[in-house]
Amino acid sequence: DVQLVESGGGSVQIGGSLRLSCVASGDTIGRYCMGWFRQIPDKEREAVAGIESDGSTSYANSVKGRVTISKDITKNILSLVMHNLKPEDTAMYYCAAGPVMPYQWSQGDKYPYWGKGTQVTVS
């Protein structure tokens, strides 16, 4: 099993930047597809970005050009750097890991491992 713990959320002004981190334990993230998802109350969970075991990345159209996903296998950390933040980026952000096919990176139900989330508020 993989345990995931997110950090780095907070309150930021419109146009600001944040770096979210997800520390993994129990297994190496290099084995898995890793993803960042977000959710606001009463709305469906939304895929933000994904990174495959080979390092290939994918982004939701809503964040493309403003967000970068990366991973440090030596430290077992997944990161999400977000720039030019907008109010609509406000959400709880979760990292996820799993043996997910590249074309399924945005399908949250394919990931068996999840963190508890970190809140991002943009105003």
Side-chain angles (χ1 to χ4, degrees):
D1 287 4
V2 179
Q3 293 78 48
L4 303 169
V5 180
E6 303 93 336
S7 63
S11 296
V12 62
Q13 291 184 337
I14 296 171
S17 300
L18 275 178
R19 183 185 186 94
L20 306 184
S21 296
C22 173
V23 178
S25 59
D27 204 347
T28 173
I29 63 173
R31 294 183 56 192
Y32 299 108
C33 175
M34 304 291 296
W36 283 100
F37 292 79
R38 64 187 183 187
Q39 190 170 22
I40 58 176
D42 299 324
K43 291 289 182 71
E44 285 192 13
R45 181 173 54 200
E46 177 188 17
V48 177
I51 185 166
E52 303 296 331
S53 56
D54 66 358
S56 302
T57 58
S58 301
Y59 297 95
N61 288 335
S62 59
V63 301
K64 199 170 291 184
R66 302 190 293 119
V67 166
T68 302
I69 187 172
S70 62
K71 61 182 178 179
D72 185 334
I73 296 176
T74 62
K75 297 180 179 179
N76 233 23
I77 294 177
L78 177 73
S79 298
L80 186 73
V81 177
M82 303 186 290
H83 297 296
N84 191 22
L85 284 163
K86 305 176 181 181
E88 51 264 42
D89 294 318
T90 295
M92 185 72 80
Y93 283 70
Y94 301 89
C95 71
V100 180
M101 298 298 291
Y103 63 90
Q104 296 176 320
W105 77 269
S106 62
Q107 298 177 36
D109 60 348
K110 301 298 183 185
Y111 293 80
Y113 307 116
W114 291 84
K116 295 185 182 301
T118 185
Q119 177 69 37
V120 172
T121 302
V122 184
S123 61

mmCIF file of all heavy atoms in Angstrom, residues 24-56:
data_model
loop_
_atom_site.group_PDB
_atom_site.id
_atom_site.type_symbol
_atom_site.label_atom_id
_atom_site.label_comp_id
_atom_site.label_asym_id
_atom_site.label_seq_id
_atom_site.Cartn_x
_atom_site.Cartn_y
_atom_site.Cartn_z
ATOM 1 N N ALA A 24 4.916 10.493 -0.220
ATOM 2 C CA ALA A 24 4.452 9.108 -0.259
ATOM 3 C C ALA A 24 5.333 8.223 0.611
ATOM 4 O O ALA A 24 6.535 8.463 0.754
ATOM 5 C CB ALA A 24 4.466 8.585 -1.693
ATOM 6 N N SER A 25 4.716 7.200 1.172
ATOM 7 C CA SER A 25 5.445 6.201 1.933
ATOM 8 C C SER A 25 4.812 4.840 1.685
ATOM 9 O O SER A 25 3.666 4.750 1.233
ATOM 10 C CB SER A 25 5.442 6.529 3.428
ATOM 11 O OG SER A 25 4.127 6.588 3.924
ATOM 12 N N GLY A 26 5.561 3.817 1.944
ATOM 13 C CA GLY A 26 5.046 2.466 1.765
ATOM 14 C C GLY A 26 5.437 1.832 0.449
ATOM 15 O O GLY A 26 5.450 0.609 0.325
ATOM 16 N N ASP A 27 5.695 2.650 -0.538
ATOM 17 C CA ASP A 27 6.116 2.163 -1.851
ATOM 18 C C ASP A 27 6.667 3.338 -2.627
ATOM 19 O O ASP A 27 6.441 4.506 -2.281
ATOM 20 C CB ASP A 27 4.939 1.535 -2.593
ATOM 21 C CG ASP A 27 5.362 0.528 -3.659
ATOM 22 O OD1 ASP A 27 6.569 0.500 -4.002
ATOM 23 O OD2 ASP A 27 4.494 -0.207 -4.163
ATOM 24 N N THR A 28 7.367 3.062 -3.697
ATOM 25 C CA THR A 28 7.936 4.128 -4.501
ATOM 26 C C THR A 28 6.926 4.654 -5.511
ATOM 27 O O THR A 28 6.249 3.881 -6.190
ATOM 28 C CB THR A 28 9.199 3.656 -5.243
ATOM 29 O OG1 THR A 28 9.624 4.695 -6.136
ATOM 30 C CG2 THR A 28 8.949 2.378 -6.046
ATOM 31 N N ILE A 29 6.842 5.973 -5.607
ATOM 32 C CA ILE A 29 5.889 6.563 -6.545
ATOM 33 C C ILE A 29 6.307 6.331 -7.988
ATOM 34 O O ILE A 29 5.511 6.487 -8.903
ATOM 35 C CB ILE A 29 5.704 8.074 -6.288
ATOM 36 C CG1 ILE A 29 7.014 8.833 -6.502
ATOM 37 C CG2 ILE A 29 5.163 8.311 -4.889
ATOM 38 C CD1 ILE A 29 6.852 10.343 -6.439
ATOM 39 N N GLY A 30 7.559 5.947 -8.176
ATOM 40 C CA GLY A 30 8.027 5.678 -9.523
ATOM 41 C C GLY A 30 7.293 4.531 -10.203
ATOM 42 O O GLY A 30 7.295 4.420 -11.425
ATOM 43 N N ARG A 31 6.657 3.704 -9.405
ATOM 44 C CA ARG A 31 5.944 2.551 -9.955
ATOM 45 C C ARG A 31 4.581 2.922 -10.500
ATOM 46 O O ARG A 31 3.991 2.160 -11.259
ATOM 47 C CB ARG A 31 5.747 1.496 -8.874
ATOM 48 C CG ARG A 31 6.990 0.855 -8.348
ATOM 49 C CD ARG A 31 6.626 -0.215 -7.348
ATOM 50 N NE ARG A 31 5.704 -1.201 -7.941
ATOM 51 C CZ ARG A 31 5.042 -2.102 -7.234
ATOM 52 N NH1 ARG A 31 5.155 -2.130 -5.925
ATOM 53 N NH2 ARG A 31 4.259 -2.970 -7.835
ATOM 54 N N TYR A 32 4.061 4.063 -10.089
ATOM 55 C CA TYR A 32 2.654 4.365 -10.314
ATOM 56 C C TYR A 32 2.409 5.579 -11.186
ATOM 57 O O TYR A 32 3.255 6.458 -11.322
ATOM 58 C CB TYR A 32 1.971 4.616 -8.973
ATOM 59 C CG TYR A 32 2.005 3.453 -8.028
ATOM 60 C CD1 TYR A 32 2.821 3.482 -6.895
ATOM 61 C CD2 TYR A 32 1.232 2.327 -8.260
ATOM 62 C CE1 TYR A 32 2.858 2.412 -6.026
ATOM 63 C CE2 TYR A 32 1.258 1.255 -7.393
ATOM 64 C CZ TYR A 32 2.064 1.298 -6.272
ATOM 65 O OH TYR A 32 2.093 0.245 -5.414
ATOM 66 N N CYS A 33 1.211 5.619 -11.703
ATOM 67 C CA CYS A 33 0.680 6.872 -12.211
ATOM 68 C C CYS A 33 0.258 7.685 -10.995
ATOM 69 O O CYS A 33 -0.376 7.152 -10.075
ATOM 70 C CB CYS A 33 -0.513 6.610 -13.124
ATOM 71 S SG CYS A 33 -1.343 8.096 -13.691
ATOM 72 N N MET A 34 0.638 8.939 -10.983
ATOM 73 C CA MET A 34 0.284 9.830 -9.883
ATOM 74 C C MET A 34 -0.604 10.949 -10.420
ATOM 75 O O MET A 34 -0.386 11.453 -11.526
ATOM 76 C CB MET A 34 1.537 10.450 -9.263
ATOM 77 C CG MET A 34 2.573 9.459 -8.784
ATOM 78 S SD MET A 34 2.020 8.518 -7.354
ATOM 79 C CE MET A 34 1.850 9.809 -6.126
ATOM 80 N N GLY A 35 -1.565 11.342 -9.612
ATOM 81 C CA GLY A 35 -2.462 12.395 -10.069
ATOM 82 C C GLY A 35 -2.795 13.384 -8.984
ATOM 83 O O GLY A 35 -2.722 13.077 -7.791
ATOM 84 N N TRP A 36 -3.139 14.587 -9.405
ATOM 85 C CA TRP A 36 -3.715 15.600 -8.519
ATOM 86 C C TRP A 36 -5.164 15.805 -8.944
ATOM 87 O O TRP A 36 -5.461 15.984 -10.129
ATOM 88 C CB TRP A 36 -2.969 16.915 -8.617
ATOM 89 C CG TRP A 36 -1.661 16.946 -7.895
ATOM 90 C CD1 TRP A 36 -0.414 16.790 -8.435
ATOM 91 C CD2 TRP A 36 -1.472 17.157 -6.496
ATOM 92 N NE1 TRP A 36 0.541 16.877 -7.460
ATOM 93 C CE2 TRP A 36 -0.072 17.117 -6.250
ATOM 94 C CE3 TRP A 36 -2.320 17.381 -5.406
ATOM 95 C CZ2 TRP A 36 0.476 17.270 -4.985
ATOM 96 C CZ3 TRP A 36 -1.773 17.538 -4.153
ATOM 97 C CH2 TRP A 36 -0.387 17.488 -3.946
ATOM 98 N N PHE A 37 -6.028 15.804 -7.959
ATOM 99 C CA PHE A 37 -7.450 16.033 -8.175
ATOM 100 C C PHE A 37 -7.900 17.134 -7.230
ATOM 101 O O PHE A 37 -7.236 17.439 -6.242
ATOM 102 C CB PHE A 37 -8.244 14.755 -7.888
ATOM 103 C CG PHE A 37 -7.995 13.649 -8.880
ATOM 104 C CD1 PHE A 37 -6.853 12.874 -8.800
ATOM 105 C CD2 PHE A 37 -8.898 13.381 -9.893
ATOM 106 C CE1 PHE A 37 -6.607 11.857 -9.718
ATOM 107 C CE2 PHE A 37 -8.674 12.372 -10.814
ATOM 108 C CZ PHE A 37 -7.521 11.606 -10.724
ATOM 109 N N ARG A 38 -9.032 17.719 -7.526
ATOM 110 C CA ARG A 38 -9.585 18.724 -6.634
ATOM 111 C C ARG A 38 -11.091 18.576 -6.566
ATOM 112 O O ARG A 38 -11.730 18.054 -7.485
ATOM 113 C CB ARG A 38 -9.194 20.135 -7.074
ATOM 114 C CG ARG A 38 -9.748 20.559 -8.426
ATOM 115 C CD ARG A 38 -9.141 21.898 -8.831
ATOM 116 N NE ARG A 38 -9.687 22.379 -10.093
ATOM 117 C CZ ARG A 38 -9.226 23.462 -10.732
ATOM 118 N NH1 ARG A 38 -8.216 24.159 -10.230
ATOM 119 N NH2 ARG A 38 -9.778 23.824 -11.878
ATOM 120 N N GLN A 39 -11.624 19.066 -5.466
ATOM 121 C CA GLN A 39 -13.068 18.963 -5.275
ATOM 122 C C GLN A 39 -13.544 20.075 -4.374
ATOM 123 O O GLN A 39 -12.899 20.420 -3.384
ATOM 124 C CB GLN A 39 -13.437 17.603 -4.670
ATOM 125 C CG GLN A 39 -14.922 17.312 -4.646
ATOM 126 C CD GLN A 39 -15.215 15.879 -4.259
ATOM 127 O OE1 GLN A 39 -14.405 15.201 -3.625
ATOM 128 N NE2 GLN A 39 -16.385 15.385 -4.654
ATOM 129 N N ILE A 40 -14.702 20.631 -4.728
ATOM 130 C CA ILE A 40 -15.376 21.571 -3.858
ATOM 131 C C ILE A 40 -16.675 20.916 -3.410
ATOM 132 O O ILE A 40 -17.190 20.018 -4.089
ATOM 133 C CB ILE A 40 -15.636 22.923 -4.544
ATOM 134 C CG1 ILE A 40 -16.476 22.737 -5.812
ATOM 135 C CG2 ILE A 40 -14.326 23.589 -4.903
ATOM 136 C CD1 ILE A 40 -16.834 24.057 -6.474
ATOM 137 N N PRO A 41 -17.196 21.319 -2.270
ATOM 138 C CA PRO A 41 -18.401 20.676 -1.745
ATOM 139 C C PRO A 41 -19.543 20.661 -2.752
ATOM 140 O O PRO A 41 -19.755 21.638 -3.472
ATOM 141 C CB PRO A 41 -18.736 21.520 -0.519
ATOM 142 C CG PRO A 41 -17.429 22.076 -0.079
ATOM 143 C CD PRO A 41 -16.669 22.337 -1.340
ATOM 144 N N ASP A 42 -20.194 19.545 -2.820
ATOM 145 C CA ASP A 42 -21.366 19.343 -3.667
ATOM 146 C C ASP A 42 -21.044 19.358 -5.159
ATOM 147 O O ASP A 42 -21.952 19.464 -5.990
ATOM 148 C CB ASP A 42 -22.439 20.403 -3.378
ATOM 149 C CG ASP A 42 -22.917 20.345 -1.945
ATOM 150 O OD1 ASP A 42 -23.006 19.224 -1.403
ATOM 151 O OD2 ASP A 42 -23.172 21.409 -1.361
ATOM 152 N N LYS A 43 -19.757 19.266 -5.489
ATOM 153 C CA LYS A 43 -19.377 19.177 -6.901
ATOM 154 C C LYS A 43 -18.578 17.896 -7.117
ATOM 155 O O LYS A 43 -17.986 17.336 -6.195
ATOM 156 C CB LYS A 43 -18.524 20.389 -7.303
ATOM 157 C CG LYS A 43 -19.285 21.709 -7.339
ATOM 158 C CD LYS A 43 -20.235 21.755 -8.490
ATOM 159 C CE LYS A 43 -20.970 23.090 -8.568
ATOM 160 N NZ LYS A 43 -20.087 24.178 -8.981
ATOM 161 N N GLU A 44 -18.558 17.459 -8.361
ATOM 162 C CA GLU A 44 -17.779 16.266 -8.678
ATOM 163 C C GLU A 44 -16.284 16.540 -8.575
ATOM 164 O O GLU A 44 -15.836 17.654 -8.825
ATOM 165 C CB GLU A 44 -18.112 15.805 -10.105
ATOM 166 C CG GLU A 44 -19.454 15.119 -10.239
ATOM 167 C CD GLU A 44 -19.629 14.429 -11.578
ATOM 168 O OE1 GLU A 44 -18.634 14.270 -12.308
ATOM 169 O OE2 GLU A 44 -20.763 14.053 -11.894
ATOM 170 N N ARG A 45 -15.576 15.512 -8.226
ATOM 171 C CA ARG A 45 -14.123 15.594 -8.190
ATOM 172 C C ARG A 45 -13.598 15.842 -9.607
ATOM 173 O O ARG A 45 -14.100 15.270 -10.572
ATOM 174 C CB ARG A 45 -13.556 14.297 -7.633
ATOM 175 C CG ARG A 45 -12.057 14.229 -7.496
ATOM 176 C CD ARG A 45 -11.681 12.945 -6.774
ATOM 177 N NE ARG A 45 -12.247 11.787 -7.436
ATOM 178 C CZ ARG A 45 -12.407 10.604 -6.849
ATOM 179 N NH1 ARG A 45 -12.054 10.445 -5.587
ATOM 180 N NH2 ARG A 45 -12.918 9.595 -7.528
ATOM 181 N N GLU A 46 -12.590 16.694 -9.705
ATOM 182 C CA GLU A 46 -12.045 17.085 -10.997
ATOM 183 C C GLU A 46 -10.565 16.716 -11.061
ATOM 184 O O GLU A 46 -9.808 17.027 -10.132
ATOM 185 C CB GLU A 46 -12.210 18.590 -11.201
ATOM 186 C CG GLU A 46 -11.610 19.126 -12.482
ATOM 187 C CD GLU A 46 -11.631 20.639 -12.534
ATOM 188 O OE1 GLU A 46 -11.805 21.285 -11.480
ATOM 189 O OE2 GLU A 46 -11.436 21.190 -13.636
ATOM 190 N N ALA A 47 -10.179 16.088 -12.156
ATOM 191 C CA ALA A 47 -8.756 15.805 -12.357
ATOM 192 C C ALA A 47 -8.037 17.089 -12.731
ATOM 193 O O ALA A 47 -8.543 17.889 -13.532
ATOM 194 C CB ALA A 47 -8.579 14.768 -13.455
ATOM 195 N N VAL A 48 -6.866 17.291 -12.152
ATOM 196 C CA VAL A 48 -6.078 18.492 -12.421
ATOM 197 C C VAL A 48 -4.871 18.164 -13.297
ATOM 198 O O VAL A 48 -4.646 18.798 -14.329
ATOM 199 C CB VAL A 48 -5.613 19.141 -11.109
ATOM 200 C CG1 VAL A 48 -4.735 20.353 -11.391
ATOM 201 C CG2 VAL A 48 -6.808 19.523 -10.247
ATOM 202 N N ALA A 49 -4.098 17.187 -12.852
ATOM 203 C CA ALA A 49 -2.882 16.831 -13.583
ATOM 204 C C ALA A 49 -2.474 15.414 -13.225
ATOM 205 O O ALA A 49 -2.803 14.925 -12.143
ATOM 206 C CB ALA A 49 -1.741 17.798 -13.254
ATOM 207 N N GLY A 50 -1.770 14.777 -14.147
ATOM 208 C CA GLY A 50 -1.287 13.444 -13.897
ATOM 209 C C GLY A 50 0.119 13.270 -14.433
ATOM 210 O O GLY A 50 0.530 13.974 -15.379
ATOM 211 N N ILE A 51 0.859 12.359 -13.829
ATOM 212 C CA ILE A 51 2.200 12.059 -14.299
ATOM 213 C C ILE A 51 2.403 10.551 -14.262
ATOM 214 O O ILE A 51 2.144 9.898 -13.257
ATOM 215 C CB ILE A 51 3.276 12.814 -13.473
ATOM 216 C CG1 ILE A 51 4.671 12.593 -14.061
ATOM 217 C CG2 ILE A 51 3.226 12.458 -11.998
ATOM 218 C CD1 ILE A 51 5.711 13.579 -13.511
ATOM 219 N N GLU A 52 2.832 10.028 -15.386
ATOM 220 C CA GLU A 52 2.985 8.592 -15.512
ATOM 221 C C GLU A 52 4.313 8.125 -14.923
ATOM 222 O O GLU A 52 5.174 8.933 -14.582
ATOM 223 C CB GLU A 52 2.937 8.210 -17.002
ATOM 224 C CG GLU A 52 1.690 8.643 -17.715
ATOM 225 C CD GLU A 52 0.447 7.964 -17.159
ATOM 226 O OE1 GLU A 52 0.557 6.835 -16.666
ATOM 227 O OE2 GLU A 52 -0.634 8.592 -17.230
ATOM 228 N N SER A 53 4.480 6.825 -14.857
ATOM 229 C CA SER A 53 5.722 6.269 -14.325
ATOM 230 C C SER A 53 6.922 6.664 -15.187
ATOM 231 O O SER A 53 8.039 6.794 -14.686
ATOM 232 C CB SER A 53 5.618 4.745 -14.221
ATOM 233 O OG SER A 53 5.297 4.174 -15.484
ATOM 234 N N ASP A 54 6.685 6.905 -16.472
ATOM 235 C CA ASP A 54 7.784 7.305 -17.354
ATOM 236 C C ASP A 54 7.997 8.812 -17.381
ATOM 237 O O ASP A 54 8.867 9.299 -18.106
ATOM 238 C CB ASP A 54 7.552 6.803 -18.785
ATOM 239 C CG ASP A 54 6.357 7.453 -19.467
ATOM 240 O OD1 ASP A 54 5.661 8.280 -18.825
ATOM 241 O OD2 ASP A 54 6.111 7.144 -20.643
ATOM 242 N N GLY A 55 7.209 9.540 -16.592
ATOM 243 C CA GLY A 55 7.363 10.985 -16.515
ATOM 244 C C GLY A 55 6.462 11.788 -17.429
ATOM 245 O O GLY A 55 6.453 13.020 -17.353
ATOM 246 N N SER A 56 5.712 11.117 -18.275
ATOM 247 C CA SER A 56 4.779 11.823 -19.149
ATOM 248 C C SER A 56 3.710 12.514 -18.317
ATOM 249 O O SER A 56 3.232 11.947 -17.333
ATOM 250 C CB SER A 56 4.116 10.839 -20.119
ATOM 251 O OG SER A 56 5.069 10.159 -20.888
#
